[in-house]
Amino acid sequence: MLTLDAHVKFFPFPTQMLSVLLFLIGLAAGILVNRAADNLPYERSLLAAPCCAHCGTPRAKLQNSGSLSFILRRDRCAQCSAPLSLRAPIVEIGTAALFAWLALRYPIGVYLGVVCFFSAVLILIAVIDLEHKLILNVVSLPMTALAFLTSPILLGGPGTTIESLALKPYWLAFLGIVTGYLVTLGIYYLGVLFLRIVNRGRAKKINTVAFGMGDVKLAGLLGALVGFPAIVYVLVYAILLGGVGAILFIAFRAATRRPYSAFTAIPYGPYLILAGAAFLYFGPELLARALGA
Ligand SMILES: [Zn+2]
């Protein structure tokens, strides 16, 4: 039996060393995520060279890495001295720390690689959603296809063997995608119906609904990543987290005495991603608890 995660065979060093290695790979992945988050919303090519967001001057070589430019205090544009966004170092360090933690959690192998890759994808989607309130089809749709194709690894777990690459994971991933789409679409149309009723006779129409079409496609991607039935719990947890987030948001608004208007749009993407990541990393444990097994 050929195991894809033969730890000792491929990496005869202590796990801590693997963790340091994955931290460095995570830093590099964070730089790529920042690049993609800078370029994709403006329809520039994925890895186009970074420019100052204010004056368009190409950034210095060293400023490719957000954390390096902050550590070396080169965190301003050489031309117009506009500050670099804090997002770059946060994403780099965050991705690196996440990869290092995953290396401690899973043995070296294909599963670890695939989970790291999709973690970076989810970080990218969260960053773009937080900054632009957008979930781009160019990210979510191809990644759904890729998650479906790799479902034997993802749903098989870290001990995936060549023999276990059977048809069943494809069915679970397919069911996951369909469930993700249908449930969020259902909620979306319920929202549209609700707005029609509320907006009747209102001079100032409200046009925010719980899930946008971007969230629907994200739910499909998460369905492919965690499979069925985990996607059902991901959606429930995302809605609960969104509710908690909304209450905190309203409390914050009240505390800072800013006027609160009902129906302020709250992006669901980050909550979906938090819940999806929880099931990606702790799926078997969480599912066992949810099903009372
Ligand atoms: Zn500038």
Side-chain angles (χ1 to χ4, degrees):
M1 191 168 74
L2 177 58
T3 304
L4 295 176
D5 290 292
H7 183 194
V8 183
K9 213 196 239 164
F10 295 135
F11 197 80
F13 301 106
T15 333
Q16 287 86 338
M17 250 167 99
L18 176 67
S19 194
V20 171
L21 180 69
L22 264 279
F23 185 88
L24 295 175
I25 294 174
L27 273 182
I31 291 175
L32 294 182
V33 167
N34 279 318
R35 277 273 181 109
D38 286 338
N39 289 326
L40 289 179
Y42 302 101
E43 295 183 0
R44 290 195 287 256
S45 75
L46 184 63
L47 299 177
C51 295
C52 170
H54 294 264
C55 70
T57 308
R59 277 191 219 142
K61 277 247 155 57
L62 182 140
Q63 290 176 328
N64 274 311
S65 158
S67 33
L68 253 190
S69 43
F70 271 87
I71 289 166
L72 299 174
R73 316 209 65 186
R74 292 277 303 276
D75 54 341
R76 283 177 179 280
C77 170
Q79 190 68 31
C80 71
S81 72
L84 259 68
S85 118
L86 258 178
R87 179 254 282 165
I90 292 172
V91 165
E92 280 168 28
I93 304 290
T95 311
L98 181 62
F99 278 24
W101 174 71
L102 289 173
L104 293 176
R105 188 167 165 75
Y106 301 115
I108 188 171
V110 178
Y111 183 80
L112 176 61
V114 172
V115 167
C116 282
F117 174 80
F118 280 107
S119 299
V121 169
L122 292 181
I123 292 172
L124 172 65
I125 295 176
V127 168
I128 296 179
D129 195 24
L130 286 171
E131 290 183 350
H132 301 272
K133 291 195 178 169
L134 264 181
I135 292 172
L136 301 170
N137 288 342
V138 72
V139 181
S140 59
L141 296 183
M143 287 306 134
T144 305
L146 196 60
F148 174 75
L149 289 177
T150 51
S151 60
I153 298 164
L154 277 166
L155 300 180
T160 309
T161 58
I162 296 289
E163 282 80 22
S164 73
L165 304 186
L167 201 62
K168 203 180 160 217
Y170 291 118
W171 274 112
L172 293 179
F174 178 72
L175 267 181
I177 297 172
V178 172
T179 307
Y181 281 160
L182 287 186
V183 171
T184 45
L185 262 182
I187 294 173
Y188 170 77
Y189 281 116
L190 273 180
V192 171
L193 191 73
F194 174 72
L195 283 188
R196 275 221 191 121
I197 295 164
V198 186
N199 276 340
R200 191 170 289 171
R202 262 181 91 108
K204 200 176 159 219
K205 304 280 189 216
I206 300 159
N207 54 7
T208 52
V209 283
F211 287 110
M213 286 316 264
D215 295 319
V216 171
K217 284 155 200 162
L218 173 60
L221 167 59
L222 295 175
L225 284 175
V226 302
F228 186 87
I231 183 62
V232 177
Y233 295 98
V234 168
L235 295 173
V236 170
Y237 287 162
I239 291 166
L240 292 178
L241 277 173
V244 172
I247 290 167
L248 289 178
F249 180 75
I250 293 167
F252 174 77
R253 276 283 174 110
T256 54
R257 288 161 193 256
R258 270 186 245 181
Y260 164 72
S261 68
F263 306 107
T264 304
I266 293 163
Y268 255 93
Y271 299 114
L272 279 169
I273 288 173
L274 274 180
F279 270 85
L280 189 58
Y281 306 140
F282 305 105
E285 293 98 312
L286 286 174
L287 259 189
R289 200 171 295 172
L291 297 170

